[in-house]
């Protein structure tokens, strides 16, 4: 008798100023498999990637993401160049990214399935920060 196949999904992001777009992508990623692993960008990586310090520290962002029901495991993503290593280390069968990254991770199709999910419209961390800063 063959054992049931368990699928591991991996996704990445900064998840700063956690909002409903983050929740939706995590829920949809989890629905594609049995176990969801989330790489949360290090503060240093976020600074390099987005040109600003995150509002919440990596430890705080990690704690928030880890507490979500669909999330099984979290780790700190130290570098964008380590994606392949993380996929292999966590035994991911599926890599999920937002479609703002469409096509950019196709090189990993030799080790896992690559899925780009549409972003939730009209919300982002940047927009929330701008809205609060403007006091509107
Ligand atoms: N995401 C999404 N829908 C949104 C915003 C983000 O599906 N409206 C997804 C991204 O595609 C990514 C994950 O959430 O897979 C983490 O994105 P992140 O860059 O942390 O969030 P943003 O809100 O896009 O942040 P920023 O404005 O700083 O770029």
């Amino acid at each position: 008798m063959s054992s049931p196949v368990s699928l591991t999904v991996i996704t990445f992001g900064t998840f700063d100023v956690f909002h409903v777009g983050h929740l939706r992508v995590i829920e949809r990623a989890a629905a594609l498999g049995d176990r969801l692993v989330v790489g949360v960008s290090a503060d240093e990586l976020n600074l390099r990637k987005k040109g600003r310090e995150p509002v919440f520290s990596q430890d705080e962002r990690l704690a928030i993401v880890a507490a979500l029901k669909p999330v099984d495991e979290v780790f700190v993503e130290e570098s964008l160049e380590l994606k392949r290593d993380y996929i292999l280390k966590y035994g991911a069968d599926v890599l999920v990214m937002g479609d703002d990254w469409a096509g950019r991770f196709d090189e990993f199709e030799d080790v896992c399935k690559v899925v780009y999910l549409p972003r939730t419209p009209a919300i982002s961390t940047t927009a929330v920060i701008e809205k609060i800063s403007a006091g509107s």
Side-chain angles (χ1 to χ4, degrees), residues 63-76:
I64 290 166
V65 174
L68 299 169
K69 218 184 284 180
V71 175
D72 296 290
E73 194 168 344
V74 293
F75 67 94
V76 178

Side-chain angles (χ1 to χ4, degrees), residues 11-17 19-26 28 41 46 49-50 52 96-101 117-129:
T11 193
F12 297 86
T14 306
F15 302 104
D16 189 26
V17 189
H19 59 68
V20 75
H22 295 149
L23 180 62
R24 296 284 175 256
V25 78
I26 283 173
R28 287 179 293 159
S41 302
N46 192 66
K49 200 170 60 167
K50 305 208 181 194
R52 66 160 187 264
V96 170
M97 299 297 297
D99 64 0
D100 41 330
W101 296 93
L117 293 178
R119 285 170 65 92
T120 300
I123 187 154
S124 68
T125 297
T126 307
V128 173
I129 293 172

Side-chain angles (χ1 to χ4, degrees), residues 46-124:
N46 192 66
L47 188 58
R48 286 203 302 273
K49 200 170 60 167
K50 305 208 181 194
R52 66 160 187 264
E53 301 271 2
V55 173
F56 295 119
S57 71
Q58 68 186 48
D59 289 348
E60 291 167 330
R61 292 181 286 108
L62 215 71
I64 290 166
V65 174
L68 299 169
K69 218 184 284 180
V71 175
D72 296 290
E73 194 168 344
V74 293
F75 67 94
V76 178
E77 180 190 21
E78 300 285 357
S79 162
L80 295 176
E81 277 67 51
L82 291 174
K83 281 246 169 16
R84 181 177 293 273
D85 300 272
Y86 295 132
I87 291 167
L88 296 174
K89 178 175 177 190
Y90 290 96
D93 303 289
V94 185
L95 167 64
V96 170
M97 299 297 297
D99 64 0
D100 41 330
W101 296 93
R104 302 265 297 275
F105 295 97
D106 293 354
E107 64 184 283
F108 303 127
E109 275 167 351
D110 58 338
V111 286
C112 65
K113 188 174 169 187
V114 181
V115 175
Y116 302 98
L117 293 178
R119 285 170 65 92
T120 300
I123 187 154
S124 68

